[in-house]
Amino acid sequence: MAGPDPLGLLRTALLCRCPRCGQASIFTSVLTVRERCPVCELNLAAADTGDGAAAFLILIEGAVLVVLAFYVEFHFNPPLWVHVILWPVLAIPFTILLMRPFKAFLVAQQFRNRPGEMGAE
Ligand SMILES: [Zn+2]
């Protein structure tokens, strides 16, 4: 039986916690998901997110940055070097910061929608 989702989907993702118990981190290192939750034994290895988090970030963050780049270009008309410096400086840290929560979000989504695959039914 699936747990009650104690933290809610977004808090679970932002805190990178187990979607069933909300107690333990789902990561053993920067982006490596644990085999099992040390608290509730949820099979986290079954939630294979693959490149899903990276794909979501590329699409969402890329679209936001392109819109911002067009806004800056047409509103301020800066020299080209401003674009060359500004967008990588924004994109790289945001990508690194958002990768873990996005991956945790996908694990929590899989737990919510397909708990049987994670041994929670
Ligand atoms: Zn747990």
Side-chain angles (χ1 to χ4, degrees), residues 29-50:
S29 64
V30 177
L31 286 176
T32 304
V33 176
R34 293 179 188 276
E35 292 286 321
R36 292 194 169 273
C37 173
V39 177
C40 68
E41 295 293 320
L42 179 66
N43 184 8
L44 295 168
D48 183 18
T49 60

Side-chain angles (χ1 to χ4, degrees), residues 4-29:
D5 195 10
L7 296 178
L9 190 60
L10 287 179
R11 273 189 85 199
T12 301
L14 288 174
L15 296 173
C16 302
R17 297 297 171 98
C18 168
R20 179 158 66 184
C21 67
Q23 306 264 324
S25 171
I26 65 167
F27 294 106
T28 57
S29 64

